[in-house]
Amino acid sequence: MAACQAEVSTSEQDWLKTAEAFIQETLCPTGKESNVQLTQLVIDCVKTVWSSQGSNQGLTLPLSYSFVSVQDLRTHQQLPCCSHLSWSSSAYQAWAQEVGPNGTPLPREQLLLLGTLTDLSGDVEQERRDGGLYVRDNTGILCCELIDLDLSWLGHLFLFPRWSYLPPTRGNFSGEGHLELWDAPVPVFPLTISPGPPIPIPVLYTESASHMLRLRSKPRGVQQNLAGKLVRLSALVKSQRKSYFVLSLGESSSEVSETASHVSIVVQIPAQLVWHRALWPGKAYVLTELRVSRVRGHRYRVWTTSPSSRLLPLKPECVEELEMDLEGPLLEAYPKPVPTPSNSQDKTGQRGLVRDSTLLSYSGTVTGVLNEAAGLYELDGQLGLCLAYLQFRGLRRVMRPGVCLELQDVHLLQSVGGGTRRPVLAPCLRGAVLFRGFSRQKPGTQSSHQVFGASLYEQLVWERQLGLPLYVWASKALEELAFKLCPHVLRYQQLLQPSFPGNPGLGLQLLAPTLDLLAPPGSPIRKAHVEILQELHHCPLQKYAQLQTPYFFPTLATLKDEGQRRAWASFDPKALLPLPEASHLPSCQLNHRLAWSWFCLQPSAFQPAQVLLGVLVASSHKGCLQLRDQSGSLHCLLLAKHSQPLTDPRLLGCLVRAEKFQLVVERNVRSSFPSWKELSTPGFIQKQQSRIYVQIVLADALILPVPKSCLHSATGETPQTDSTFPDGPHIEQSRLFLLSHKEALMKRNFCVPEGANPEVPKPTLCFYVSGSWLGGTQKKEGTGWGPPEPQGNEDKDQKVLLIFLGYSIRWFEFLHPGQVYRLVAPGTPTSMLFEKDASSCTSQRPLELAGCVSCLTVQDKWTLELESSQDIPDVLATNKALPESSLTDLLSDNVTNSLVSFSAEILSRTLCKPLLTLLQTKPEDTEAMTGTPSWSPGPFCAAGEKGFQIPQCLLLLPVIHLCAGPEFSPGDHNQGKCTREDPTCPTQTSVSQASIRLLVEDGTADAVVTCRNHHVAAALGLCPSEWTSLLEFVREPGKVALQFVGLGAQLESSARIEEPLTLFLRTLCTSSSVLRPIVLSFELERKSSKIVPLEPPRLQHFQCGDLPLLTRVNPRPRLFCLSIQESEHPSYLGVFASSC
């Protein structure tokens, strides 16, 4: 027992020695000798608090606790913590459990903190008062928060029994943490109360004080004492000139309202700004030695404090009302201000939807941090809280889940819109946010987009004057942008930086098109003192209109998934193949027609609309352009105006924002539908694949260049560069060349150089361009290029073949014949760099065929720049690209060149199967995508042409019944019945095929038109029921063919003339039901693969009155019918017209 007491005694002595050293170093005035009295008072204070917990296990000193200085906290305490000297471990555990399952309690540290409570900030030489509260010792100063401040505590040394420390977080540019003082501090020295004014204190109550302000004659040099209940407390406003706040005193029985009698007092003396932390709404106070002043910019007088003013609690026994003669002429009453739009939404034509916010007071608990930088929080799990319309930088460090708040004069806005559905509470400068309880939770890890950008959000409110609905939407849009682009594509600081004159912020530029429309620049600047003091309150939160979300920024992965989902949801074989057409197709043609289709989405198809955004990059694997964000990439087809190609490589790495675009999904389907009757059965679809890309017109997009220093590797494929000169100027060399020919991007074989690996190399994706050098190599001189180096033979045509492979194929989309480019190579200048590449794996034969004397492989580090050909005189004398030809010339016999260049519009696209003997592909990849152009040529071959059909020249009508199975033969069906006995045949359905050839003329020329299947019924003027009946009659013979030849329309038939079916068809084809005006849509009949010589002009007889004429006419064009519509004159239908 004695040994144990000796051990405790030794521990206490060691603890006391450590405490004495700490007190002398940290708390004693600098430069003075050790103060034994101070040391003893501190020890006694610690003992008193320690013994109050009741479970100290008989220890008189907290031996497990150690003293901590302000500097120690700032330097060594990197994690949040709390300390409770008067609590036992069980008390702390009970306190921590109240945090709940969704939070983590502050960890407990056994630390003793002492310091002087003061409102002086900064060093001793630069002390200033800004309304803040601080704890100071000899090692430094820390800002702090205290729930219930007694002004008599300022300047005194305290022991803080319960406190928590929060180190600086990301985005806290001050780099300092702060203290939260949970309980009233324990004074080390007895507090000395300074004597107050003589009692009783003569005071004016609010009614007399308000009447005194309206007197026409201002009382000069008279200072008064005002008494009343605190009915309103404004926010603490800090400006470049001064800081101030406004409090309003009312009658003790009055409530806060617009009509209640109250008087406002402006507090702007720096030493009195700390009063803002000591005032409690609802309590009564006396303010001494106030004077009447006029605030700059405010029309009427107000009460203001003087340097000698004091704030005292109102005790009725210590005051008496001052009797004053307040007779005299009064100033004019406050005029009612003209209503003005309170926010940006009033300017958008929504005046009929403008609502008034509700002004109220509210107490609640913060349950979530929505966007710390934007000042958006969640209250009680049901309400939103927006602090952006306050100067809330000091509040931001304390706000986290668990904090209890009292909101005075806060605006309630319901149905705000802009992406939020919950009601929002938002205080303006007239209201106040008061802390009523600190959070027990450890601050959560905030994402970077919720930390950075505080200055940008302040700019949206204070400079752009956004109303709350638009501000909430803008903050959500910036979060979407940060989620899409940061940190792997852009840095958070770059995206969320504020705008400066001549340097607009990137995030604000992306939102500018919408903000400029809904909140045009030039709104009046908020005047804080008017917003607080004006009797009829007016602020940006007073009126609002519900905002329909303009759009949002989806990730590219989300856009792709949604596009594919909608594309396959809309895939309907019956819609792609309408019944009149599908019923005539056998299985092989049916599935072939379904093998490829496309689906297009516009931004208006989404609610709300979507805006496309991404960094434009070029894939080194495929050579195509892509938009990229953090979620992935999307193939991009960027189109210039007037079908001009993209030639400027500077577009790479730029942000592309497009509100107008087309999301195209190409659907590839492998199916085995037996016939048209099974099109509604999805089980016959064997495989589905899709290809998705986006089409953007350059004029409809916003292109924003991003500095390379702020652009991360958006592609993930950037080659490693040698930073030999990181701090010096860029050392580069370049050479100009005129591009004359570009080959396709495809996989090619390269010859193996001598000494290389003898294994067969794999084909490499690459492309060639040929052109001519324009001058010699140029070196970088400052910001421009020096003169070209002289060449050995200036007159020699310097043709060159450039090979682009590997990472350099990213330039494929920007290289076009006829353009001048600059090939730039970084690094130390090297002689003969742009001459023939000795390591190039290209044989001499391709060079000879291309007419080039040298070959050069473009390295990955090299870049391309577009140059203006007008500024380079050598371009005019150099051979340019092949001249562009028209399709008419190409289809004529005058084409002699083996290589031609032309432009055309692709009107249709079909699938064709490649030759398996020539191409080695996987079994499931046996279909190749091929674009087959078709057009509407000639003066009389325009779609929708009106003409008169005449079947006198040639009429062919075979009606054949075929099996719909995949392997059919015309002989398999006899009299409409299947003759095959194959159990594997998937269908017993037969299809009918028909064709007719008509002679059509429109008064200027005639043409031969071929109609097939369901178009035959339209040509014959038969309704669907009549056409079905006709096919049933043909089913028995299986095939009927009629042909009219010669001028007399002699009939040739495969059937007997006397048969009723033959007579009916002959009569029908020569009746006015067929010989009638029609509106025809067509295309040129595709020629067969065999080369057929052109038909020469023919002689034709015409009868003009009594005179026979013989003239030479050109061959009739052969057309293929796409659709037949009836003319506006139905009388031509004749006797065969029916009502079905």
Side-chain angles (χ1 to χ4, degrees), residues 825-838:
T828 306
T830 305
S831 60
M832 308 297 288
L833 179 64
F834 297 111
E835 299 301 327
K836 183 176 181 180
D837 187 3

Side-chain angles (χ1 to χ4, degrees), residues 91 183 194 341 638 689 756 940 1053:
D183 283 347
S194 58
L638 198 58
Q689 288 182 336
F940 53 88
S1053 175

